[in-house]
Amino acid sequence: MAVRLMAAGVRLDRASEVHFSRFGLSTGRYRLLVDLEDSDGEKSPSRLAKSLGVSRATVTGLVDGLEREGLVTRRASTEDGRGAVVVLTARGAQRLRDMAADHFARLQALVGGLTADERGLFLDLLERITQGIGALTAE
Amino acid sequence: MAVRLMAAGVRLDRASEVHFSRFGLSTGRYRLLVDLEDSDGEKSPSRLAKSLGVSRATVTGLVDGLEREGLVTRRASTEDGRGAVVVLTARGAQRLRDMAADHFARLQALVGGLTADERGLFLDLLERITQGIGALTAE
DNA sequence: AAAGAATTATTAGGGGCCTAACTATTTGGG
DNA sequence: CCCAAATAGTTAGGCCCCTAATAATTCTTT
């Protein structure tokens, strides 16, 4: 059962990469862009790492890629000499707008096989399983 | 909702890596070992790729790692001049036995929060969502 | 039987993720 | 005030996974 959940997770993850690659993004880069958009277009790498649930080193890599494509910019923080700020560019914001319709249509199709009640139930069960994940890493 | 499923999948995947790393394995290498065990200890790379749902190139990498640790061996196929056969070594079989108790105890704890009925329900819903995954890659 | 198509495994190169180590800066306790 | 500890970002190196290209072999088709 854990095996099937993992398999489903991996398949979804794999399909996501295909989906996002149509827009020149990856799942990680897309998530970073959305996070940035939700933060008025500016956020430090370490705060991004925390909210995305990945390491700071991973954020460095994602930002490298996004910067190369001009979807994001880096600048030094004015308050903290150590800090940096990642800034969403106009091009980056446009990219998100461009993919919105297709993205949400596909998400809709993904969960369309379930009723609203079933979705709620599923999320509840998923939540409880998620809590058990700690058992794998305990000790 | 797809987001949460993906997040759960990723978290489980991440936790799995931690779990398997205790035995010097990764999720992929463990799955390959089990697959091999279920096939009387011998199987070709391409059949492994198919049953594991990864590319042949990935199997090459996994076998490289397992061979380096002496858990697996390669030999040429006798029937097909192109083919190879991956063979589970005694050490590989032993590794699986060594981790069995801990592995199943943790799996048990993972799904322990749900009743048998709930697990069945969850798997059913998961199955139906899995069918929707195609929507992400369609066209 | 011979040429072209398909299949097998591998290599090369890429992306995403990680941990550990490094540099620069800020913070906080004595 | 000063020095140790914490924090910020990056780099280096590793693993897993992918696609595309490669060489060897087998199959198919005429």
Side-chain angles (χ1 to χ4, degrees):
Chain A
M1 132 121 203
V3 170
R4 282 208 252 169
L5 175 55
M6 216 166 352
V10 167
R11 281 187 54 185
L12 184 54
D13 201 57
R14 217 63 70 68
S16 274
E17 295 300 342
V18 172
H19 169 51
F20 289 120
S21 73
R22 267 189 284 260
F23 300 93
L25 295 175
S26 66
T27 307
R29 289 183 190 175
Y30 173 77
R31 291 184 59 220
L32 195 153
L33 241 37
V34 169
D35 194 317
L36 221 45
E37 189 184 42
D38 290 344
S39 311
D40 300 320
E42 294 201 357
K43 205 168 187 177
S44 75
S46 45
R47 286 183 54 222
L48 282 166
K50 192 160 294 179
S51 57
L52 293 173
V54 301
S55 68
R56 290 198 309 273
T58 295
V59 169
T60 297
L62 294 175
V63 171
D64 282 351
L66 289 167
E67 195 172 34
R68 228 178 292 132
E69 309 241 335
L71 307 178
V72 125
T73 303
R74 262 185 258 245
R75 68 167 170 74
S77 166
T78 51
E79 305 103 23
D80 190 329
R82 300 164 298 184
V85 179
V86 181
V87 183
L88 184 65
T89 64
R91 193 171 141 89
Q94 185 59 47
R95 182 69 56 92
L96 285 177
R97 282 193 294 276
D98 287 345
M99 57 187 298
D102 177 80
H103 179 59
F104 289 111
R106 286 179 192 274
L107 274 192
Q108 205 51 49
L110 173 63
V111 301
L114 273 60
T115 67
D117 278 356
E118 287 174 330
R119 283 202 285 273
L121 184 56
F122 179 78
L123 285 179
D124 174 57
L125 293 172
L126 187 63
E127 173 65 28
R128 285 159 61 196
I129 289 173
T130 302
Q131 286 168 8
I133 289 181
L136 288 183
T137 53
E139 255 131 294
Chain B
M1 130 120 203
V3 171
R4 282 208 250 169
L5 175 56
M6 216 168 347
V10 168
R11 281 186 57 184
L12 184 56
D13 200 58
R14 217 63 71 67
S16 276
E17 294 300 341
V18 172
H19 169 51
F20 289 119
S21 72
R22 267 191 285 260
F23 299 92
L25 295 174
S26 67
T27 307
R29 290 184 190 176
Y30 173 76
R31 291 183 61 219
L32 195 154
L33 242 37
V34 170
D35 195 317
L36 222 44
E37 189 184 42
D38 290 345
S39 311
D40 300 319
E42 296 201 356
K43 206 168 188 178
S44 76
S46 46
R47 286 184 53 221
L48 282 167
K50 193 160 292 178
S51 58
L52 293 174
V54 301
S55 68
R56 289 197 309 270
T58 295
V59 169
T60 297
L62 293 176
V63 172
D64 282 350
L66 289 167
E67 196 172 33
R68 227 179 291 130
E69 309 239 336
L71 306 179
V72 126
T73 303
R74 262 185 258 244
R75 68 167 171 73
S77 166
T78 51
E79 305 103 24
D80 191 329
R82 299 164 299 183
V85 179
V86 182
V87 184
L88 184 65
T89 63
R91 194 171 141 88
Q94 185 60 48
R95 182 67 58 89
L96 285 178
R97 282 193 294 275
D98 288 345
M99 58 186 300
D102 178 80
H103 178 60
F104 290 110
R106 285 178 194 275
L107 273 193
Q108 205 50 48
L110 173 64
V111 300
L114 273 60
T115 68
D117 277 356
E118 286 174 331
R119 283 201 286 274
L121 184 55
F122 179 77
L123 285 180
D124 174 57
L125 293 171
L126 187 62
E127 173 65 28
R128 286 159 62 196
I129 289 174
T130 302
Q131 286 168 7
I133 289 181
L136 288 183
T137 53
E139 254 134 296

